[in-house]
Amino acid sequence: MGVPKVLTILGQTDAGKARLSEALCKVCGETIKGQKKESNFYLKIYGFNYKDTPFYLLTTPGDENFLGEVKWALKISDAAILVVDSSNPIKYQTIRVFEMAKEMGVPLFIFINKIDEEKSNFGQTICDLQDNLEILQVPVVYIFEGQPNNILVDLIEDKAILEKGNKIEYIDYPENLKHRGSTLRENLTETAAEGKDELIEKYLDTGSLTKEEILEGLKLGLANNKIALIFAGAAKPGIGVSAFLEYLYHFVPSYELVRTRTEADEKSSGFIFKTIIDPFAGKLSYGRVLAGSFPSDSTVFTSNGKEEKYTQILVPRGDGLQQVKEVKEGEVIVFAKVDGLYTGITFSKNPKVKPISLPELPSPMITMAIHPETRADEDKISGALVKIKEEDPSIMFTRDEETKELLISGLGVIHIEKTIEKLREKFGVKVKLTTPKIPYRETIKKPVQGVIYRHKKQSGGRGQFAEVHFNIFPLERGKGFEFLETLTGMNVPRNYVPAVEKGVREAMERGPLAGFPVVDVKVQFYDGKSHEVDSSDLAFKIAAIHCFRKGMEQANPVLLEPYVEMEIYVPDETVGDVVGDLNSRRGRVLGIEKDKKMTKISAVVPMAEVQNYVVSLQGFTGGRGYFISRFSHYEEAPPFVAEKVIAERKSQMEAAKEE
C-alpha cells in the first residue's frame, strides 16, 4: 500500500470544492450517493484509492462563519487544495483560508476551476492570485485560452494534454504556442532547481533537468512551503482532473510531516478532527492515525484519561463509509458510537497518551440568548447542546448567572442560525433567539453619613427589634464591595454583625434605580441598638437591608454600563468608515496599527452598542473584517442612556408582576 494522503479542500462558496472531490472519487471508480446541490456548512469527508494509495479529502465550507471547520481539517492534513473559480472574482475568503494554511505550515496546491465556462478568465485569475497570495506560485498544468478550443498543457511533460475519459494522452504543442510553452517550462525548471543544491548546480551547468529531477525539486519546494503548485481544470465535466490526481500522487508529502508538526507520539497516536452525531446511526468520530495501527474490536486510551472500548471501525469511501478490520498508519479512521472520542481528543494504545495541541479557533463575534419554546424543549436542551458542542467546538454555550439567560456565541449570524436549525432538525429541540440582556450595574456618587434605620415589629408573642447606623461611601470603579464594622461599646452584640453584612449584600442584589446589582460601595457599620429578647439575626438582617436602601437613595445613585475592549482587523481602505462607525457607537479608539495585510483598530465600546456589530463590520469590509472582544470595565452611563434603560427595565418589571 502507498503512503496515505489527507488533503483539505479550501475555497470560497461555489468555487466547486465538492464537485472536485466527487470528480476525483469518480476517476477512481467510487460512487457518489448523496449528491446535494446546496452549500455545505460543515466538513464533508471523501475517500478513494489511487494506485493502491488511500486518499482522503476533507472538504470545508466556503463561508467565513465556519472557519473552525477549516482549522480542524488543516490540523491533520498533509496538504491543502485551494479551489479557485476562474469565472468569478476572488473573494476575501480565498485569501483568508490560504493564509490559515500557510500559518499552520500546510503545503498548498491551487486548482483553478471552471475553465470551461464562458465567463472564465484564467489569465486574470492567475494575476489576481499573484497579487493576493504571498507565496511563489508555479503553474504545472496550464491552459492556453482563446484558441478555437482551449488547450490544456502539462509543463512538466512539455506537451499538450488530450483527455480520453480517465486516460491521458500527450501531444505536441501547436506551432503557435511552442514559444509560450517553453518560456513557462523554463520558469518551472528554474523553480524546481531551487529546491535542492545539487539541482541548482546541475541546472547552472547544463541549463536543464530531467523530469524526475523537476518532480523532486518541486516536491521539496512544496513540502517546505516555499511554493504553491497551480493546476487548471473543470471539475464538473472532469477536465484536467486525471492529470491533477496523478500529480497529487507524486507531490503530496508524507504524513510524517504532520506527525512532526503536531509533535505526535511516534509509537501510537491519532487525533479526532470531526464528530458527527446522527440521530439514527449514532455518533461517528473521524480521526487520523498518525502512528501505529488500530484493529476493530479493541480499546483505546484518550487524552482526557479514559479507556474506551470500541467494536466497529470504518474508513471513508466515496462520500460514504466502509467497515474494515484494521486502519493503518496515516489513514483516516472512523469510530462508531464511542462516547469518549470527540473533536480535539488524542487517542492511543498507550495508557500514557501524549495529547496533540488543539488548533487556535476563531473568536466568537456574536452572542444571542436562547429560550426553549416548551417545557419538553427545556428538558431536552442540555443533552442536545453537549452533542452540538462535540460536533462544532467553535460554537459556545454559557449561562449568565446574573441575567439567568442561556447564551450562544458564534462567528456570525449564519453560524448561529445553522446551529439552531441543527438543534431543531437533529435533536428535536425548538428555541427562540433574542438579543441578550445587558448586565448593567448601579453605584453611588457621593458619601452619606449617619444613615439610621430601626426595625421594630410587635404583633403578639416575641417581637423583632434591631437598629443599625451606617456610613456609606463610593469606592473606585472595579473595587466591588467593602464592609467595615467599627462598633464600640455594647449597643450591638458582635454576634449580629454577620447578619448585618448578609443583609447589606442581599440589598445590593437590587439597586434603587432599576433593580440592577450595586457595586463599588463601602458600608461602615458603626453603631446601633438591640433588645435582649426581641433582637435576632433576622431582625438585624432586615434592618440592614432597609438601612442600605435608604442610604443608596440619598447617595446620588447612578447607572453603570459595561464596556468591551475590541481588536478589530480591517482592510486598510475601510479604516475611516469603521472608525466613524465606532465613534457613532460612543466608542473610543485607543490605537490604529498595521497588522500584516490588515489594519488593527483597538477600541473600547459600550457593550450595548456592539451586540450585532459583526453584521455592520462585514457590511463595511465586504466580509473581510473580523474582531476579538473581551469584557473591559464599567463606566457611568450618560443620562440619555440611563433614562431609557431605567424606563425599559421598570416596564418589564411591571409586565412581569401582571403575569
Side-chain angles (χ1 to χ4, degrees):
M1 183 177 89
V3 176
K5 301 180 189 303
V6 175
L7 294 142
T8 294
I9 316 289
L10 305 168
Q12 63 204 41
T13 302
D14 293 331
K17 299 183 295 295
R19 285 274 190 209
L20 177 61
S21 300
E22 289 166 8
L24 288 163
C25 286
K26 285 175 184 171
V27 165
C28 299
E30 294 293 347
T31 52
I32 301 298
K33 303 179 192 84
Q35 280 182 307
K36 287 184 181 176
K37 297 292 176 280
E38 74 267 18
S39 293
N40 188 28
F41 292 104
Y42 297 97
L43 203 58
K44 194 163 172 46
I45 296 126
Y46 298 83
F48 57 85
N49 275 348
Y50 178 69
K51 293 190 174 178
D52 200 30
T53 297
F55 276 76
Y56 302 97
L57 307 177
L58 317 184
T59 308
T60 61
D63 188 289
E64 67 269 6
N65 281 269
F66 302 93
L67 287 170
E69 300 283 286
V70 175
K71 289 257 186 170
W72 289 109
L74 287 170
K75 179 76 184 174
I76 50 84
S77 287
D78 302 314
I81 300 168
L82 185 64
V83 182
V84 180
D85 179 353
S86 64
S87 67
N88 268 308
I90 290 174
K91 290 185 185 157
Y92 178 62
Q93 174 74 357
T94 297
I95 301 161
R96 193 158 175 201
V97 293
F98 158 77
E99 285 173 350
M100 274 187 179
K102 199 174 165 205
E103 271 173 33
M104 292 175 77
V106 180
L108 200 78
F109 296 88
I110 299 170
F111 186 81
I112 299 180
N113 194 23
K114 304 187 185 181
I115 58 168
D116 60 325
E117 295 197 4
E118 204 176 312
K119 288 194 294 176
S120 169
N121 189 334
F122 182 75
Q124 185 59 51
T125 304
I126 288 264
C127 291
D128 290 347
L129 288 170
Q130 300 284 8
D131 289 345
N132 285 293
L133 306 188
E134 289 181 351
I135 195 167
L136 179 62
Q137 295 157 52
V138 186
V140 174
V141 172
Y142 200 83
I143 184 167
F144 289 124
E145 295 173 300
Q147 316 302 317
N149 293 305
N150 289 338
I151 294 178
L152 206 61
V153 298
D154 182 328
L155 298 172
I156 292 176
E157 294 288 347
D158 204 18
K159 300 269 186 183
I161 295 173
L162 198 61
E163 292 181 300
K164 295 184 174 177
N166 294 339
K167 298 266 189 300
I168 300 168
E169 280 182 23
Y170 292 107
I171 55 171
D172 287 334
Y173 289 133
E175 198 62 41
N176 61 332
L177 296 177
K178 280 188 175 171
H179 177 67
R180 283 176 70 194
S182 66
T183 305
L184 286 164
R185 191 174 196 276
E186 190 62 35
N187 294 340
L188 175 89
T189 309
E190 201 173 299
T191 307
E194 287 166 7
K196 195 175 176 183
D197 289 348
E198 293 89 327
L199 296 179
I200 289 179
E201 285 168 22
K202 184 184 173 187
Y203 181 67
L204 291 173
D205 286 347
T206 65
S208 66
L209 296 175
T210 64
K211 178 187 166 183
E212 285 66 32
E213 287 166 338
I214 290 172
L215 289 172
E216 184 190 4
L218 293 178
K219 186 171 182 177
L220 286 166
L222 182 85
N224 294 326
N225 289 89
K226 299 268 176 67
I227 58 172
L229 300 180
I230 289 183
F231 296 81
K236 194 174 176 183
I239 297 167
V241 174
S242 296
F244 184 45
L245 179 56
E246 178 64 19
Y247 281 120
L248 289 176
Y249 173 75
H250 282 296
F251 286 132
V252 175
S254 164
Y255 64 86
E256 286 171 9
L257 275 184
V258 179
R259 193 157 69 192
T260 305
R261 205 169 67 223
T262 56
E263 298 179 343
D265 189 318
E266 292 185 19
K267 293 195 180 88
S268 168
S269 61
F271 184 78
I272 303 293
F273 62 87
K274 181 67 189 164
T275 310
I276 296 173
I277 297 170
D278 189 289
F280 307 107
K283 179 174 171 179
L284 297 170
S285 308
Y286 287 74
R288 185 165 195 196
V289 178
L290 294 170
S293 62
F294 292 82
S296 62
D297 207 5
S298 186
T299 302
V300 288
F301 298 93
T302 70
S303 49
N304 59 353
K306 291 186 177 173
E307 183 180 352
E308 294 284 349
K309 287 188 166 55
Y310 63 88
T311 49
Q312 269 189 323
I313 50 170
L314 309 105
V315 291
R317 277 288 170 272
D319 60 348
L321 296 170
Q322 178 186 326
Q323 196 170 334
V324 291
K325 289 189 174 162
E326 185 183 41
V327 176
K328 295 191 173 77
E329 199 163 281
E331 290 193 271
V332 168
I333 186 170
V334 186
F335 294 95
K337 300 177 182 174
V338 184
D339 281 345
L341 292 177
Y342 48 85
T343 311
I345 285 286
T346 306
F347 59 90
S348 175
K349 289 179 188 168
N350 180 356
K352 292 180 180 172
V353 184
K354 181 185 174 188
I356 291 168
S357 65
L358 306 184
E360 190 182 329
L361 294 177
S363 297
M365 293 196 287
I366 185 168
T367 297
M368 300 293 285
I370 299 182
H371 307 276
E373 286 191 8
T374 66
R375 186 62 193 265
D377 293 320
E378 203 170 315
D379 293 341
K380 287 189 285 185
I381 195 165
S382 57
L385 295 185
V386 170
K387 290 172 181 169
I388 291 267
K389 182 79 180 157
E390 282 190 24
E391 283 199 334
D392 180 9
S394 60
I395 204 92
M396 289 174 68
F397 299 102
T398 48
R399 186 169 287 283
D400 188 315
E401 291 307 321
E402 185 183 317
T403 63
K404 303 291 183 265
E405 287 184 314
L406 179 61
L407 304 177
I408 177 172
S409 303
L411 299 188
V413 176
I414 295 172
H415 194 195
I416 286 180
E417 283 174 354
K418 287 289 162 192
T419 304
I420 298 309
E421 193 179 291
K422 200 195 284 187
L423 259 180
R424 185 181 65 246
E425 292 179 2
K426 262 193 178 186
F427 305 110
V429 178
K430 291 182 187 169
V431 296
K432 288 178 191 152
L433 289 176
T434 60
T435 303
K437 294 172 186 168
I438 300 291
Y440 291 102
R441 298 277 187 269
E442 296 180 28
T443 193
I444 56 173
K445 287 185 81 173
K446 71 172 190 184
V448 285
Q449 300 199 342
V451 185
I452 298 170
Y453 187 87
R454 176 179 286 187
H455 173 64
K456 191 175 180 183
K457 194 174 178 189
Q458 206 74 45
S459 54
R462 186 179 168 184
Q464 288 184 9
F465 179 86
E467 183 177 301
V468 293
H469 300 196
F470 287 170
N471 294 329
I472 301 175
F473 308 94
L475 285 178
E476 266 180 66
R477 198 68 59 244
K479 289 286 185 187
F481 170 59
E482 279 182 32
F483 181 78
L484 182 64
E485 175 260 302
T486 56
L487 295 170
T488 54
M490 292 306 295
N491 285 346
V492 180
R494 301 304 185 267
N495 58 304
Y496 292 132
V497 172
V500 172
E501 183 175 349
K502 194 175 179 186
V504 173
R505 287 185 182 275
E506 194 172 303
M508 287 176 67
E509 288 172 11
R510 292 172 65 84
L513 294 175
F516 292 110
V518 176
V519 293
D520 303 337
V521 294
K522 176 179 174 179
V523 173
Q524 181 186 12
F525 175 30
Y526 67 90
D527 202 0
K529 289 181 183 168
S530 62
H531 187 278
E532 279 180 16
V533 177
D534 293 345
S535 286
S536 64
D537 282 345
L538 178 62
F540 270 96
K541 180 181 162 187
I542 292 168
I545 289 171
H546 287 288
C547 191
F548 181 77
R549 285 179 181 162
K550 182 181 173 184
M552 277 288 294
E553 283 167 8
Q554 298 168 21
N556 193 1
V558 291
L559 188 76
L560 297 176
E561 63 175 337
Y563 273 64
V564 290
E565 190 181 321
M566 303 182 78
E567 289 175 2
I568 308 161
Y569 296 83
V570 299
D572 299 352
E573 65 273 17
T574 64
V575 170
D577 290 340
V578 173
V579 168
D581 178 60
L582 287 171
N583 291 334
S584 74
R585 295 170 187 268
R586 300 187 287 121
R588 293 193 300 277
V589 173
L590 305 176
I592 298 174
E593 60 186 282
K594 195 81 182 119
D595 190 278
K596 297 176 191 160
K597 283 189 165 183
M598 305 282 267
T599 297
K600 180 173 92 172
I601 302 168
S602 302
V604 289
V605 196
M607 187 186 284
E609 300 284 351
V610 286
Q611 284 191 297
N612 289 317
Y613 183 63
V614 64
V615 178
S616 303
L617 183 67
Q618 288 179 343
F620 283 124
T621 63
R624 292 181 288 168
Y626 63 98
F627 66 88
I628 298 162
S629 70
R630 62 188 78 83
F631 170 75
S632 176
H633 63 282
Y634 277 89
E635 280 185 28
E636 185 182 336
F640 74 92
V641 172
E643 284 161 18
K644 188 179 170 194
V645 171
I646 291 165
E648 278 176 9
R649 176 81 162 183
K650 283 183 175 167
S651 68
Q652 284 167 6
M653 287 158 89
E654 278 163 22
K657 274 183 201 168
E658 286 169 16
E659 283 177 17

